[in-house]
Amino acid sequence: MNLIGALLLFVGLALSSLYLFPSGGPQLADFVMIVFAGVMLLMSLGDKHLKVSSFAMCWGLMVLWVVMVCLCWTLVMETTDFFMPALFFLFNFLIGMGLLRFLSVYGERATSLIRNSVSIALLVAGGFVLVQLALGINRTTGSFNNPNQLAYFSLCGVVVLLMLDDFHPKMRPLALAGLASGVLGILSASSLAAMGGGVMVLVGWAMANAKQVKYFARLLLVVPLLLGGIVIANISSEGQVLRNLEARMDRAPSKVDSVYEERKFDRLTNFPAYAILGAGEAKRERFAPYDGAEIHSSYINMLFAYGLPGLALFLSMIVIVLRRAPLYIWAGVAGPLIYSTTHNGLRSTLFWILLVICWHLYRQGSIAASRRRFVFNSPSEMT
């Protein structure tokens, strides 16, 4: 069973960037990952020292509140449309709990498996990006259905890979190739929010490496290699990467001016009463004429759809995850969090995996102290 769980996690994460079906429904990797979660849940039944941490409890309460809001609106509106958003939250919670158990049992071996599988996922997306750039596509989607999915996945993937090495990346060819593919994905998707988040990740990387000569030397070596890869991609696509960036930068002022209406923030200001307990994420015709697309912000969407309790629990999770982490981790994780201000990233499984890994590594305030606690085949802890 242990080997089966490891294989399922590896395959699920490696395929997580491959979208074969329309957005809003399960992808191939989701089927693999839910089986992984089931295997972990089954194995946890035999654990003798199972503990529930504040992180898991806060996450569980948030999912419970989301389900309750969706159930109430299902009864009021007499429709099952509210169940699909709740399933996203429940699915990611189950994956997160399964991953927490896997990490607590296998420690270093688990982090190595995650590092390799996430690197492969980024390389899969990067391979599609290179093909699309060569075809002259303006905003690439990689192996996803739209550019924003590519940008967010790439941003989260880069943070995961850096975090697994405590923001001191080792000279591992697969991981370095994954980092380069992640940077390429962020730039080629031409997402201004993702590039802004990428700057924060770079700041965290510099903070972590600047004080130690050997790590700073690696930084000086790796950065030109990453930039060189981007330059090669730009040349091979006849300058398409640079043209994409210039086009998005030219649009930046107009996008900032229209962010309030374009991202549907006006729905909250015109229907503020729903922010108390939440309006759910379906039947948007209730909010005409502000009933267009979904709210493009993790925070405002959480506030409007699930009210003050939902937003408070979500923010509490973030605080619990980061409260004992060093400042450079705060800066690195700020990358995806900044992206989430103008995009709804709560459905992305990799975002929740990022939080799980951060909690696992830094909950004791020291990554070294944390790693010393885990011994192969030690009793698991639902942390």
Side-chain angles (χ1 to χ4, degrees):
M1 292 291 284
N2 294 333
L3 181 60
I4 292 174
L7 180 61
L8 288 169
L9 178 61
F10 181 84
V11 173
L13 287 178
L15 294 176
S16 57
S17 64
L18 186 61
Y19 275 40
L20 301 177
F21 309 111
S23 302
Q27 302 296 329
L28 181 61
D30 296 332
F31 295 104
V32 179
M33 292 298 284
I34 197 62
V35 177
F36 161 76
V39 170
M40 289 298 103
L41 177 62
L42 182 63
M43 294 179 66
S44 69
L45 297 177
D47 295 337
K48 296 180 180 179
H49 304 287
L50 193 64
K51 298 180 181 179
V52 179
S53 69
S54 58
F55 171 59
M57 184 174 297
C58 187
W59 193 355
L61 287 174
M62 186 192 75
V63 173
L64 179 61
W65 175 258
V66 168
V67 172
M68 287 177 58
V69 171
C70 293
L71 180 60
C72 289
W73 280 111
T74 295
L75 296 175
V76 171
M77 303 296 295
E78 298 182 345
T79 177
T80 59
D81 293 349
F82 292 93
F83 280 137
M84 182 57 71
L87 288 177
F88 278 107
F89 283 95
L90 182 59
F91 170 83
N92 287 317
F93 175 72
L94 293 175
I95 300 303
M97 293 302 101
L99 184 60
L100 280 172
R101 185 198 181 275
F102 189 80
L103 284 165
S104 67
V105 173
Y106 296 110
E108 290 285 353
R109 297 191 182 190
T111 58
S112 178
L113 182 149
I114 295 170
R115 181 186 299 110
N116 292 334
S117 56
V118 171
S119 297
I120 291 173
L122 290 170
L123 285 170
V124 169
F128 278 82
V129 165
L130 291 175
V131 172
Q132 292 166 358
L133 288 173
L135 294 175
I137 296 176
N138 289 329
R139 291 192 69 191
T140 63
T141 62
S143 51
F144 296 88
N145 292 332
N146 66 62
N148 290 325
Q149 291 170 342
L150 168 65
Y152 192 49
F153 185 92
S154 299
L155 183 59
C156 290
V158 167
V159 175
V160 167
L161 292 182
L162 290 174
M163 195 182 298
L164 289 172
D165 285 326
D166 194 30
F167 271 61
H168 301 130
K170 308 298 189 297
M171 305 308 267
R172 300 184 181 94
L174 182 59
L176 290 178
L179 285 171
S181 293
V183 173
L184 177 63
I186 293 171
L187 296 178
S188 61
S190 303
S191 169
L192 297 176
M195 285 187 280
V199 170
M200 288 304 303
V201 177
L202 184 61
V203 169
W205 191 9
M207 290 172 61
N209 290 273
K211 294 182 179 180
Q212 301 184 49
V213 175
K214 67 174 183 178
Y215 291 130
F216 188 69
R218 289 177 180 175
L219 179 65
L220 293 177
L221 176 62
V222 170
V223 168
L225 290 175
L226 292 175
L227 294 177
I230 303 302
V231 170
I232 292 173
N234 185 62
I235 294 174
S236 63
S237 63
E238 299 181 350
Q240 189 63 49
V241 174
L242 184 57
R243 288 196 296 272
N244 290 350
L245 291 176
E246 290 176 345
R248 297 297 289 176
M249 290 301 179
D250 290 340
R251 289 193 58 196
S254 61
K255 289 185 70 66
V256 171
D257 292 339
S258 62
V259 67
Y260 178 73
E261 294 82 8
E262 186 178 305
R263 300 297 171 179
K264 305 303 176 183
F265 297 169
D266 51 357
R267 190 177 303 155
L268 174 63
T269 56
N270 284 282
F271 301 91
Y274 286 100
I276 300 174
L277 296 177
E281 295 185 70
K283 290 295 179 181
R284 289 196 293 265
E285 60 269 19
R286 293 173 289 168
F287 314 119
Y290 307 96
D291 58 341
E294 68 176 6
I295 297 175
H296 289 275
S297 169
S298 295
Y299 313 106
I300 296 180
N301 182 73
M302 179 62 76
L303 176 62
F304 188 78
Y306 304 108
L308 290 171
L311 179 63
L313 288 168
F314 175 63
L315 295 178
S316 297
M317 275 188 61
I318 303 299
V319 172
I320 289 171
V321 166
L322 291 173
R323 63 181 176 178
R324 294 179 180 175
L327 286 177
Y328 58 85
I329 297 298
W330 282 74
V333 175
L337 296 180
I338 287 174
Y339 179 95
S340 297
T341 58
T342 56
H343 296 79
N344 188 352
L346 298 179
R347 299 191 187 102
S348 174
T349 302
L350 192 59
F351 168 73
W352 299 103
I353 288 176
L354 185 156
L355 296 183
V356 168
I357 292 173
C358 187
W359 164 257
H360 169 77
L361 294 177
Y362 297 102
R363 68 181 182 275
Q364 297 300 322
S366 167
I367 189 170
S370 178
R371 286 180 172 177
R372 283 197 295 269
R373 295 184 59 206
F374 302 110
V375 181
F376 184 67
N377 277 338
S378 63
S380 70
E381 180 182 0
M382 190 67 76
T383 49

